[in-house]
Amino acid sequence: MATQSKDYYGTLGVKKTASQDDIRKAFRKLARKYHPDVNPGDKKSEEKFKEISEANDVLSDEKKRKIFDQFGFYSDNIDSAAAEAAARGGYGGFTGESTRGGGPRPGAQEVPFDFGGFDFSDFTAGARGAEGRRTESSSGFGGSFKDIFSGMFSGGQRNAPRGPQPGTDLEYQVAIDFWTAIRGGVTRLEIQRQEICSTCKGKGTTGGPTECPECHGTGQVTQMGGRMKFNIQGPRCGGSGQIQNPCPTCDGEGVITRQEPLEFRIKAGTRDGQRIRLAGKGNAGINGGPPGDLYLIIKAGTHPFFTRVSDDIYVTVPVTVVEAALGAKIEVPTVDGRTQLKIPPGTQTGQKLRLRDKGVPSATREDARGDQIVEVKIVVPKVQDERSKEILREFGRLNPEDPRAAMLNGE
């Protein structure tokens, strides 16, 4: 089956003489426009993104680009020397400029393709005029090479035996409460992951090899390309002449998807947004490849009055006017329970006092922990009885300071 010709330059909107920098800029511009993350659920944008990615893959590689420029298509099975040879001197004995005996013209470059399986007998019939002259033009002959080569190269690689492939990584977000993040604990999670198929042990096949029904054990099949026929590697068996029966349990994948309960320990001091790696807990590898890893993104809960910043704890504590003015020892809450805090005389609202080593234990540094920062909030009482009001008036007469003086004098 022939491969459809693609205009990679047109796909990226650049000229054939475009530099690598021009190609890179064009791809980035189109990628930003058609990326699936920018157009979620848009199938047309998804297909367009695949097209520009394919075009960029070929044109950004000098060797691949040279092959595409020479043949009008790209295949991994074409050696770059083929494109160079074709550019220097054509396709050897098959350029349409052959001698009357069918041999290559003098000085023609040999291209590293194996034409041993071709049958050119059809080209002799009807290809000569009444006077025995060759009447089929070289362009008419050579124009079918693209279709022929694409048919040749569409088979074997896809069915080549796969080597060990590592499993993919998994990522899950885990919600834990405030205290579990502070003190640590055990958390349970249900995950979906790929495991090695127990029926085929990850091979993807069962039983012994059998004869390929497509090539009948020869490893080759005959294919037509225009008026030529040639032998290619059997696409189903990859040229081996034998096939394996796919495992009925995993449909030949070697892995099956299952729900799995997972129990893991949260270290004391784990932070919100922290990424925890569980090695080997991702998807299983294929053909003996190692399993992937599982990454857990921690989403820690909040607290009514504690606020955590890194390993420090912030809390706002109300104090009375008397405690702030005269100083006092008060009891304040911490993540470890209650503790005593000294309020210095003349403490102001918003003033911050530090309790060292009363914060969160560090999850990364042994025997280290943060501090607790206490912000003072002075609570003014509601005075209702006359005796209290008289005392406050007397206090005002004894302390006639104007707290707004500096502000007013600075006008």
Side-chain angles (χ1 to χ4, degrees), residues 287-324:
N287 295 328
D293 298 330
L294 172 62
Y295 290 91
L296 304 176
I297 311 301
I298 301 300
K299 182 64 177 177
T302 58
H303 192 273
F305 49 83
F306 287 132
T307 300
R308 180 180 177 181
V309 179
S310 186
D311 288 336
D312 293 332
I313 292 291
Y314 287 75
V315 63
T316 299
V317 175
V319 299
T320 66
V321 173
V322 175
E323 290 170 335

Side-chain angles (χ1 to χ4, degrees), residues 173-193:
Q173 188 175 86
V174 182
I176 60 175
D177 61 57
F178 178 84
W179 290 113
T180 301
I182 300 293
R183 299 167 179 167
V186 176
T187 300
R188 292 170 181 82
L189 179 69
E190 190 85 12
I191 66 170
Q192 183 174 285
R193 63 186 296 267

Side-chain angles (χ1 to χ4, degrees), residues 192-230:
Q192 183 174 285
R193 63 186 296 267
Q194 293 176 343
E195 295 181 348
I196 294 293
C197 176
S198 58
T199 303
C200 64
K201 309 302 182 185
K203 295 179 181 179
T205 60
T206 56
T210 59
E211 183 183 281
C212 174
E214 189 170 333
C215 70
H216 304 291
T218 64
Q220 292 186 330
V221 294
T222 301
Q223 195 170 42
M224 297 298 297
R227 300 173 63 186
M228 303 167 65
K229 61 182 179 180
F230 46 89

